Amino acid sequence: MPADRLVIAIDGPSGSGKSTTAREVARRLGLSYLDTGAMYRAVAVAFLDAGVSPADTAAVIEATTSAAIELSLDPDERWVRVNGRDVTEQIREPRTAQNVSAVATIAECRADMVRRQRALMDADPRGCVAEGRDITTVVYPDADLRVLLTASPEARLRRRSGDLGGKVSEEQLRDQVLRRDADDSKLVEFQTAAEGVHLIDTSDMTLTEVVDAITTLAEEARP
């Protein structure tokens, strides 16, 4: 790998701004961008469309480990394919969001995803900005820069509502943001910064301010 290769890991709960932030940081620094959540959602689409119950752990593990997942690493392009089928739009549907924890809360599924995610982060010789729930602690704990973004529940619900453009009910919104965080936290600690991880509370920050803060840290951390 090139000596100046830069890897940035960004974690945080739903609605903390990590996806938008990571994409913009990748643009500014000329790095690839990995949305790990899209990978979990792609598998959820695959097993739901195959008629697999999210309660059937063995079948969900099989669907995950056998899935062929492809996704764009270009911050200016967004597409995801699973088993050769484009699921870019499907992964954002409420049905997918409501069932993605069936993948994310199974240890065997997470282990498979971690292996794939690390490989994707190593694919670009320039480096990568990856965001998710366990990037700073499990997927890439040796990243050059590790950041945990947080925000108040109110701010997170407001942002996710804006992202979805009013397409879901208040109950569905709370399910996507708060319930899913509670489910995922049973397996992964992503609300408390681990040692060496920079904590940034984005509740009262603009996107530009958050991106500026991370790019400044990145330049300081660059090998």
Side-chain angles (χ1 to χ4, degrees), residues 6 15 18 29 33 56-57 92 100 116 119-120 123 137 199 201:
L6 182 64
K18 61 183 183 294
L29 299 177
Y33 160 67
D56 188 342
T57 300
R92 303 300 169 189
V100 70
R116 298 181 194 228
L120 287 168
T137 55
L199 179 65
D201 186 333

Side-chain angles (χ1 to χ4, degrees), residues 47-48 51-61 98-99 101-103 105-106:
F47 80 69
L48 287 170
V52 171
S53 167
D56 188 342
T57 300
V60 173
I61 292 172
Q98 290 161 7
N99 288 281
S101 286
V103 181
T105 57
I106 297 174

Side-chain angles (χ1 to χ4, degrees), residues 23 34-35 52 54 105 131 136 190 205:
R23 207 159 46 240
L34 176 60
D35 175 0
V52 171
T105 57
E131 53 92 355
T136 64
F190 59 88
M205 296 176 71

Side-chain angles (χ1 to χ4, degrees), residues 13-195:
S14 300
S16 59
K18 61 183 183 294
S19 297
T20 307
T21 298
R23 207 159 46 240
E24 185 57 35
V25 170
R27 285 192 189 105
R28 281 201 194 179
L29 299 177
L31 307 176
S32 62
Y33 160 67
L34 176 60
D35 175 0
T36 63
M39 298 174 69
Y40 286 96
R41 287 169 174 262
V43 174
V45 170
F47 80 69
L48 287 170
D49 284 357
V52 171
S53 167
D56 188 342
T57 300
V60 173
I61 292 172
E62 172 60 24
T64 301
T65 55
S66 65
I69 304 170
E70 303 169 273
L71 73 166
S72 171
L73 298 179
D74 184 335
D76 293 312
E77 264 188 80
R78 298 182 70 181
W79 56 261
V80 185
R81 301 187 191 106
V82 62
N83 300 326
R85 186 163 61 88
D86 190 298
V87 295
T88 307
E89 299 301 324
Q90 275 186 280
I91 65 171
R92 303 300 169 189
E93 293 175 354
R95 182 185 76 145
T96 306
Q98 290 161 7
N99 288 281
V100 70
S101 286
V103 181
T105 57
I106 297 174
E108 292 88 344
C109 295
R110 290 201 80 96
D112 181 70
M113 290 288 103
V114 166
R115 175 185 59 78
R116 298 181 194 228
Q117 290 159 9
R118 176 118 189 168
L120 287 168
M121 291 175 71
D122 283 337
D124 192 324
R126 300 170 302 169
C128 180
V129 182
E131 53 92 355
R133 296 235 199 273
D134 58 355
I135 315 303
T136 64
T137 55
V138 178
V139 178
Y140 225 111
D142 50 338
D144 299 297
L145 173 63
R146 297 183 295 156
V147 177
L148 176 65
L149 299 183
T150 63
S152 67
E154 295 78 16
R156 294 193 288 124
L157 286 166
R158 184 174 63 250
R159 288 171 184 164
R160 183 51 57 87
S161 177
D163 291 342
L164 296 172
K167 295 179 181 177
V168 299
S169 66
E170 184 176 344
E171 181 180 356
Q172 288 175 318
L173 179 66
R174 295 185 71 84
D175 178 81
Q176 284 195 31
V177 176
L178 304 182
R179 190 273 304 164
R180 198 183 140 212
D181 283 349
D183 285 350
D184 286 2
S185 65
K186 295 173 185 174
L187 211 62
V188 178
E189 175 51 68
F190 59 88
Q191 308 220 45
T192 303
E195 184 177 355

